[in-house]
């Protein structure tokens, strides 16, 4: 979901005249960026060493 403030800020960067296709394209990008931010904020970050250890667990049987 895109907030009204984000949409207003993005619309201010648009030229005075634009096509519906340009607007829809921008909305799609904004939506994807918002989803990614929401998704990654809940995950946290791990180091490369921790990632390597986790991958090793996956392949041990």
């Amino acid at each position: 979901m895109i907030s009204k403030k984000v949409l207003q800020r993005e619309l201010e960067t648009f030229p005075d005249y634009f096509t519906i296709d340009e607007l829809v394209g921008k909305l799609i990008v904004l939506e994807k960026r918002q989803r990614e931010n929401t998704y990654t904020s809940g995950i946290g970050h791990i180091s490369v060493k921790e990632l390597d250890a986790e991958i090793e667990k996956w392949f041990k049987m």
Side-chain angles (χ1 to χ4, degrees):
M1 190 175 301
I2 302 168
S3 73
K4 192 184 290 188
K5 283 184 179 184
V6 169
L7 181 57
Q8 287 172 337
R9 185 175 61 231
E10 290 297 325
L11 283 174
E12 288 175 5
T13 67
F14 267 65
D16 289 337
Y17 298 95
F18 52 88
T19 67
I20 295 297
D21 289 337
E22 291 170 327
L23 176 61
V24 170
K26 187 65 164 180
L27 290 172
I28 290 169
V29 169
L30 287 173
E31 175 80 20
K32 288 184 177 191
R33 193 181 312 148
Q34 182 64 39
R35 283 185 184 179
E36 183 175 327
N37 289 341
T38 301
Y39 175 74
T40 57
S41 68
I43 292 177
H45 299 283
I46 63 171
S47 68
V48 172
K49 187 181 263 187
E50 292 170 317
L51 179 60
D52 288 340
E54 189 65 30
I55 291 172
E56 284 292 322
K57 290 181 196 176
W58 296 346
F59 291 104
K60 286 185 179 177
M61 292 189 166

